[in-house]
Amino acid sequence: MKDLIEKSIGLLKDLIKTPSFSKEEDITAEIIDNYIKSFGVETYRELNNVWAFNKFYDPLKPTILLNSHHDTVRPNIDYTRNPFLAEIIDGKLYGLGSNDAGGCLVSLISTFLHYYNQPNLKYNLVIAATAEEEILGLHGLEFVVPKLGALDFAIVGEPTQMHLAVAEKGLMVLECTASGKSGHAARNEGENAIYNAIEDILWFKTFEFPKQSEMFGPIKMSVTMINAGTQHNVVPSSCDFVVDVRITDAYTNEEVLDIIKAHTKCEIKPRSTRLRPSFISLDHPIVKAGINLGRTTYGSPTTSDQAVLKIPSLKLGPGNSARSHTADEFVYVNEIEEGVELYIKILDQLVL
């Protein structure tokens, strides 16, 4: 296992050195593809996604998906270091994407390779290194999943300090338009669309959904952008605003949208309803396996590729979410070592 961990750190350095902004991950996909192939594994690649199945894959057995992403955001403007210089200083491996989610990805690849040649596993394993997670794009995990066959559940690699993120909020962004009638501001003319928008905006601010999540509490809605008017003396005929809705496991996205439309007058168009909330039961075997090793459970407020999965999934990985997207991003080398070891100790309880 030590040799595998050392090689995974080398892989992470290669990934850090290679820019892989969302939709521009072709070279890192090639690096990952070649790395996995170097262990004698047959791989599959479409677009900037790479995946592989364990050697003794049996379609009659349930399958566990191991997934993380290799795209990154663009460097934070406050970087003081070269974001593509993969350098270890005082046990910290610096570089863009080191924490989010390179450490998770290479740890999951090592975990997959650890089991790859083992016969008689109770589960199949499939590793998927996917693209476009940072923009929740259509050509990443969502594109790959239909090609993987039946899946029982997934481990999604994101920095959780190897604790168990058993729930994740969904996201729905609403484009809202309040209508009125234009007129001259100096006369009692028109119908001010801003005033009409204010009524709905106040509803978004004050409404409380009847059901609350045990993990997250109430759904949170925030009006985050607004635009109206063409000049100071014209009553505006339309007012556009954007609402950020963080949906809990108490509702589906479609249910929330129906409730919002029933209580508001403006025209509402969701950018998407595909980013769903997720929850995996505390009684699920993978969760119990983590708890057996002293890992704690919690609900994650951030959105990941879990949002596009329709199977139970656990967000779990080395690193700290607080470092994601920050200047001078890093992951501790010993976090990667711990990540591989804990992934294997957790999965051993299920697959052996």
Side-chain angles (χ1 to χ4, degrees):
M1 186 187 301
K2 184 177 179 181
D3 180 60
L4 204 53
I5 292 172
E6 289 179 356
K7 288 181 178 179
S8 71
I9 294 169
L11 171 61
L12 181 52
K13 286 182 176 180
D14 289 340
L15 296 176
I16 290 169
K17 293 173 185 176
T18 309
S20 56
F21 308 131
S22 301
K23 294 192 175 183
E24 301 175 19
E25 316 96 336
D26 53 317
I27 299 178
T28 49
E30 183 177 354
I31 290 171
I32 294 165
D33 192 23
N34 289 336
Y35 178 82
I36 297 175
K37 282 179 177 174
S38 73
F39 289 85
V41 178
E42 180 182 5
T43 63
Y44 302 84
R45 178 180 173 184
E46 288 194 39
L47 303 177
N48 295 327
N49 306 289
V50 179
W51 66 94
F53 301 89
N54 62 300
K55 184 175 182 178
F56 296 98
Y57 178 90
D58 181 349
L60 299 179
K61 293 180 179 179
T63 300
I64 303 170
L65 169 63
L66 307 178
N67 164 253
S68 193
H69 64 95
H70 60 103
D71 63 316
T72 73
V73 296
R74 294 188 179 272
N76 186 300
I77 60 171
D78 293 323
Y79 257 88
T80 65
R81 308 173 54 83
N82 179 346
F84 306 110
L85 179 61
E87 191 173 22
I88 297 175
I89 299 175
D90 297 329
K92 300 176 182 178
L93 174 51
Y94 286 93
L96 183 65
S98 56
N99 180 77
D100 183 15
C104 302
L105 176 60
V106 301
S107 297
L108 282 171
I109 291 173
S110 291
T111 301
F112 170 80
L113 293 171
H114 169 80
Y115 290 109
Y116 174 73
N117 284 307
Q118 295 189 36
N120 304 317
L121 297 176
K122 295 178 182 177
Y123 287 80
N124 301 308
L125 293 173
V126 54
I127 182 72
T130 49
E132 297 190 13
E133 189 273 348
E134 295 292 2
I135 58 171
L136 295 169
L138 296 172
H139 297 109
L141 181 59
E142 191 171 14
F143 172 82
V144 170
V145 163
K147 305 173 188 299
L148 303 181
L151 300 171
D152 191 66
F153 68 91
I155 295 176
V156 176
E158 290 285 336
T160 68
Q161 298 179 292
M162 290 305 291
H163 290 296
L164 313 169
V166 296
E168 177 182 279
K169 288 185 178 181
L171 170 64
M172 191 161 56
V173 180
L174 306 178
E175 303 277 2
C176 306
T177 300
S179 298
K181 184 179 180 181
S182 62
H184 198 296
R187 297 188 292 270
N188 188 24
E189 291 180 348
E191 179 185 357
N192 197 317
I194 293 176
Y195 297 157
N196 292 340
I198 287 173
E199 294 181 24
D200 285 341
I201 289 171
L202 287 175
W203 180 85
F204 279 111
K205 179 182 178 182
T206 58
F207 182 76
E208 295 182 3
F209 287 84
K211 294 189 294 184
Q212 291 194 10
S213 164
E214 292 184 10
M215 185 70 65
F216 293 112
I219 288 174
K220 182 172 176 56
M221 299 188 291
S222 303
V223 177
T224 54
M225 299 174 68
I226 189 166
N227 181 60
T230 56
Q231 58 190 60
H232 76 90
N233 58 356
V234 177
V235 173
S237 61
S238 67
C239 178
D240 300 318
F241 60 98
V242 175
V243 185
D244 179 291
V245 186
R246 301 290 168 158
I247 300 172
T248 70
D249 52 290
Y251 291 90
T252 67
N253 290 9
E254 290 76 14
E255 288 171 339
V256 170
L257 184 60
D258 287 343
I259 291 170
I260 290 172
K261 287 184 174 181
H263 286 82
T264 54
K265 298 177 182 178
C266 60
E267 179 184 2
I268 296 176
K269 295 181 179 179
R271 292 180 182 172
S272 170
T273 57
R274 53 187 271 271
L275 304 179
R276 294 174 289 271
S278 64
F279 178 79
I280 187 169
S281 171
L282 298 180
D283 291 326
H284 193 283
I286 192 67
V287 178
K288 285 185 173 181
I291 293 173
N292 289 342
L293 295 173
R295 315 319 290 173
T296 59
T297 61
Y298 73 101
S300 173
T302 58
T303 303
S304 73
D305 269 338
Q306 278 188 295
V308 301
L309 289 173
K310 297 180 181 179
I311 56 173
S313 60
L314 176 68
K315 188 191 294 186
L316 174 69
N320 187 332
S321 180
R323 299 186 214 127
S324 299
H325 305 181
T326 61
D328 301 336
E329 180 183 352
F330 69 88
V331 65
Y332 285 102
V333 172
N334 64 9
E335 287 178 323
I336 297 173
E337 295 169 351
E338 179 191 46
V340 176
E341 292 171 358
L342 281 173
Y343 278 142
I344 291 172
K345 287 180 179 179
I346 289 171
L347 286 169
D348 274 353
Q349 298 175 62
L350 278 69
V351 304
L352 298 184

